[in-house]
Amino acid sequence: MIWRTTTMPTAFVTHADCLKHEMGAHHPERPARLSAISDQLIASGLESYLTKFEAPLATDEALARVHPLDYVKAIREVAPNRGTVHLDPDTAMNPHTLNAALRAAGAAVMGVDLVLSGKFSSSFAAVRPPGHHACRARPMGFCIFNNVAVAARHAVHAHGLERVAIIDFDVHHGNGTEDIFENDPHVLMASTFQHPFYPYSGTEDPARNMVNVPLRAGAGSKEFRAAVRDAWLPALEGFKPELVLFSAGFDAHAEDDMAMLRLADADYGWVTEQVKAVADRYAKGRMVSMLEGGYSLSALARSVVQHVRVLAGLNA
Ligand SMILES: [Zn+2]
């Protein structure tokens, strides 16, 4: 295998609106997650290799490829002018949430456009709210719009791609993404997740385009890497994606007490290298990554650095 060190820069897409979305003083999905990531990118020296972009607001056209317009309209209507509105027990909107959610989905569109323009080989979006629990017409688990799904549909419908892979290594199963893409021939989704665990999906008769590998509580690097090698990589080789998207959640880290998997910082670099080799072979190296979970600020920030370092084609 020949390792290509990319000379094209990596895009870093974010927006200040994503820092203003808050769901309560003690909510784990909090603005400090994004600050921790930017601080660590600076401290590691990686920031100087990234080109920063401000995420646009997603258009109804981009959202409607994933969510019924009635759902988008309902979210716009329920958005409060002051105070907090709960969409489910875990998911709330403050007056800034609507714009944050539109920026997060807009970052997905922008990442795809930047990478498919040929000017960037990869893109990482540091945005919130996350997206992979958002179903076609239902917010869920901190998520309002399914950002990675918006990216995939944009790549297929606006750019004419035939095959897009979604890699989801968040500790929770991406039930929303599965809801949106089950049996969609343009998409292959490969995921690992703790099971049995929230949202208790992904194991009952998954569709053929879903490569779901449940991992037991306590599983760590060894089990995760075996899942990637034995299940993900053969499926990706068969699918030959033209673009690779990541639902990049970092809550399977051993230091993250949201769940009970035990990944280490290095696993995030390793899995990105494995997937990058596939992207280099079939997708001209094109990768677009969207932040999902990750609630231990230090582990989150260090793991993002490992992931983005490999996206950017840099050695350790
Ligand atoms: Zn998660």
Side-chain angles (χ1 to χ4, degrees):
M1 186 160 56
I2 297 165
W3 283 94
R4 176 175 64 94
T5 301
T6 180
T7 51
M8 278 193 289
T10 292
F12 180 79
V13 186
T14 188
H15 198 283
D17 284 352
C18 296
L19 291 164
K20 298 178 187 164
H21 158 57
E22 289 197 58
M23 297 188 285
H26 303 291
H27 201 294
E29 204 291 275
R30 57 207 193 277
R33 299 175 61 232
L34 298 189
S35 323
I37 290 171
S38 14
D39 290 352
Q40 192 69 23
L41 286 169
I42 293 166
S44 67
L46 187 50
E47 193 216 34
S48 59
Y49 294 92
L50 307 175
T51 306
K52 195 168 170 181
F53 289 89
E54 296 217 318
L57 299 167
T59 61
D60 277 359
E61 184 189 9
L63 295 170
R65 298 186 189 118
V66 169
H67 303 288
L69 270 178
D70 282 352
Y71 172 75
V72 177
K73 205 172 143 209
I75 293 292
R76 286 186 190 280
E77 281 170 5
V78 77
N81 291 320
R82 58 195 183 88
T84 300
V85 168
H86 275 266
L87 304 177
D88 82 3
D90 306 318
T91 315
M93 297 182 79
N94 76 355
H96 303 287
T97 300
L98 176 62
N99 273 358
L102 292 169
R103 299 281 181 197
V109 172
M110 178 179 244
V112 168
D113 286 341
L114 289 171
V115 165
L116 293 183
S117 75
K119 296 193 183 99
F120 292 83
S121 61
S122 60
S123 166
F124 179 76
V127 289
R128 48 187 293 281
H132 75 153
H133 295 305
C135 298
R136 273 170 285 196
R138 182 182 168 200
M140 186 174 161
F142 318 162
C143 303
I144 295 172
F145 300 127
N146 194 311
N147 307 319
V148 82
V150 169
R153 284 269 157 82
H154 183 69
V156 171
H157 291 264
H159 292 275
L161 296 198
E162 295 283 340
R163 294 179 310 284
V164 178
I166 299 176
I167 305 296
D168 188 331
F169 51 67
D170 192 277
V171 81
H172 304 96
H173 176 240
N175 63 298
T177 314
E178 181 165 293
D179 175 56
I180 291 157
F181 292 114
E182 54 189 347
N183 298 314
D184 182 329
H186 296 297
V187 172
L188 177 82
M189 180 177 179
S191 73
T192 47
F193 49 91
Q194 182 177 326
H195 184 82
F197 197 59
Y198 182 90
Y200 303 99
S201 54
T203 54
E204 295 295 314
D205 193 26
R208 284 172 55 198
N209 62 329
M210 298 290 146
V211 185
N212 294 346
V213 187
L215 300 172
R216 290 193 177 282
S221 301
K222 186 165 164 275
E223 293 86 352
F224 174 66
R225 293 187 184 206
V228 171
R229 266 194 298 257
D230 299 343
W232 287 12
L233 295 179
L236 287 167
E237 286 290 337
F239 185 65
K240 300 180 172 48
E242 299 163 289
L243 173 69
V244 174
L245 307 177
F246 287 92
S247 254
F250 299 89
D251 41 10
H253 195 287
E255 290 171 29
D256 197 308
D257 59 13
M258 179 72 75
M260 288 147 280
L261 294 188
R262 309 207 44 85
L263 299 195
D265 298 13
D267 291 314
Y268 293 102
W270 179 85
V271 67
T272 312
E273 281 171 3
Q274 305 305 306
V275 173
K276 182 176 188 294
V278 173
D280 284 344
R281 268 200 289 289
Y282 303 112
K284 303 177 189 167
R286 300 182 296 204
M287 296 175 285
V288 173
S289 182
M290 305 300 302
L291 179 65
E292 300 282 359
Y295 305 98
S296 157
L297 296 183
S298 172
L300 166 66
R302 290 174 354 239
S303 302
V304 166
V305 164
Q306 294 299 314
H307 175 58
V308 174
R309 174 182 62 74
V310 177
L311 289 182
L314 300 165
N315 296 319

